[in-house]
Amino acid sequence: MLVRFCKTSLVAACAIDLLLVIVNNLSDYGTNFQFVQHVLNMDTTFESSQLHWRAVESPWIHHAFYLIIILWEAAALGLISVGTWTMARQWRAPADRFNEAKSLATLGLTLSLLLWLLAFIAIGGEWFAMWQSPAWNGLEAASRLFTINGIVLIFLHLPESV
């Protein structure tokens, strides 16, 4: 029972973290939008970079990217939240029912992992060379969030001895 509580609590903490990310993105839209704008413009990457042809300078595309990120976060949040609730309702159930209750949380955590790995680390970090920017580099935060969500997903699927 304790391990199930721990698993459910960590999944819930991931949901709370995503909720705060979304609240920040919406309540401070302008500041966080600047991040997306600078990454896509590639205006703070190395001047000598041969990758500037990849830059996207259209403001409507910047807003579209940012909206996609927020919607992606919201979808992951919804799945993780419902997954947390489903798991909490099955704490005392037989192992097979509790394991089934993990499915939405698993999907939400995977969606979150894909956000941080694909959107931020691969596309932002590599395609738009975000790693070159001293001011608009979100790789450390993305890596941290990827790691946290990944560890929780692994822990969620460790077998229980009871």
Side-chain angles (χ1 to χ4, degrees), residues 41-153:
N41 279 333
M42 297 179 71
D43 56 359
T44 61
T45 58
F46 301 158
E47 287 184 31
S48 62
S49 175
Q50 298 299 304
L51 303 176
H52 286 120
W53 64 270
R54 297 177 181 174
V56 175
E57 298 175 347
S58 171
W60 77 267
I61 294 176
H62 299 163
H63 285 285
F65 262 75
Y66 193 38
L67 180 61
I68 289 167
I69 289 168
I70 294 169
L71 292 173
W72 195 336
E73 292 165 348
L77 171 62
L79 289 166
I80 294 169
S81 297
V82 173
T84 300
W85 174 253
T86 306
M87 289 168 56
R89 291 184 46 173
Q90 298 297 326
W91 273 343
R92 299 188 191 284
D96 61 328
R97 284 190 30 218
F98 183 74
N99 285 330
E100 286 176 23
K102 297 176 188 178
S103 62
L104 289 176
T106 298
L107 186 57
L109 288 166
T110 301
L111 194 59
S112 183
L113 287 170
L114 286 168
L115 172 67
W116 306 121
L117 179 59
L118 184 61
F120 284 86
I121 296 171
I123 295 171
E126 292 303 324
W127 183 258
F128 289 106
M130 181 171 60
W131 66 271
Q132 295 180 6
S133 176
W136 302 100
N137 185 341
L139 289 174
E140 184 180 327
S143 297
R144 180 181 66 245
L145 291 164
F146 180 83
T147 301
I148 291 167
N149 284 272
I151 290 170
V152 171
L153 184 59

